[in-house]
Amino acid sequence: MSATNSDTLYQLNGVQQIYKGRTVLDVAELAIRRGEILGLVGPSGAGKSTLLRLLGFLEMPAAGQIIYDGQPCSPEWPDLETRRRVTMVFQKPHLLRRSVSDNVAYALDLRGRKNGDKDVTQILARLGLAELADAQAGTLSGGEAQRVALARALVLQPDVLLLDEPTANLDPYNIKLIEEIVRRSNAEDGTTVIIVTHNIFQARRMAERVGLLLSSKLIEVTETEMFFTQPQHAQTEDFVRGDLIY
């Protein structure tokens, strides 16, 4: 896709990230469509989380260009307002030693949005957390804590939601609930979702397209069903079958 295509939200060209002389990410080209759910799969150390950090503007690439919403990224841009339209949920939720509702409200406070009680109440109900509004974060189960982290991200009504292994080590109930919430946000709010997951079944359930990263390189990105049934690369076929040895 061309970076000028209005359907393209991110366009990456020749993007590399290098840590201490080692290339940890090397993406020749990647276009991410506005409003899609894109799944990124691959083994540990393949570069998935690094790519997510670049998409979240948490760091700049060592080489290449990232174009966001038609504008090239640089140390000066995106500006703070634009960066705030992109939110990220990590594998391990980092919650404050406060109540559930205060954790969610804190995200709004940071953005200068006061009197957001109604927004907090609505998002907690949406994520099945209404009865836990006054509970202290430290008393929550892993699934509940991850839902609070997701609520804190979604209450901001982001344009882009970046998810880094959001359901790792969670029970089936919370996995299903979180997946449903993310799909609903995508469908109802038009949120662009990029999810990094080790679970290829989750990628198949959730994503419209799936990309495979191996040894820092993006091997293939294609429509989900084609990715799993008619992969274009032998490495993708091996990965889907579980035949790759790392």
Side-chain angles (χ1 to χ4, degrees), residues 1 6 14 20 25 27 34 43 48 61 65 74 88 107 109 114 122 132 165 170 178-179 186 235:
M1 275 189 212
S6 60
K20 297 181 179 180
L25 186 69
V27 175
R34 192 185 307 273
K48 303 185 302 298
Q65 184 180 61
S74 70
M88 189 166 177
D109 292 343
K114 304 298 183 183
Q122 288 178 342
L132 295 173
E165 297 284 357
L170 297 187
I178 287 172
E179 288 181 1
N186 170 259
Q235 288 174 297

Side-chain angles (χ1 to χ4, degrees), residues 14-19 22-23 25 54 59-66:
V15 168
Q16 294 183 330
Q17 190 59 301
I18 300 172
Y19 298 146
R22 183 171 69 92
T23 300
L25 186 69
L54 293 176
E59 54 190 73
M60 291 292 295
Q65 184 180 61
I66 299 176

Side-chain angles (χ1 to χ4, degrees), residues 91 98 133 154 164 185 205 234:
Q91 178 178 341
R98 302 182 184 183
L154 291 179
D164 194 357
S185 178
R205 287 193 300 267

Side-chain angles (χ1 to χ4, degrees), residues 97-139:
R97 294 180 180 177
R98 302 182 184 183
S99 70
V100 166
S101 59
D102 284 346
N103 264 275
V104 177
Y106 183 69
L108 293 172
D109 292 343
L110 287 178
R111 304 294 170 90
R113 290 167 58 182
K114 304 298 183 183
N115 303 317
D117 291 350
K118 181 179 179 181
D119 292 335
V120 172
T121 300
Q122 288 178 342
I123 200 66
L124 291 180
R126 184 169 169 178
L127 274 77
L129 295 166
E131 294 182 359
L132 295 173
D134 296 327
Q136 292 299 304
T139 67

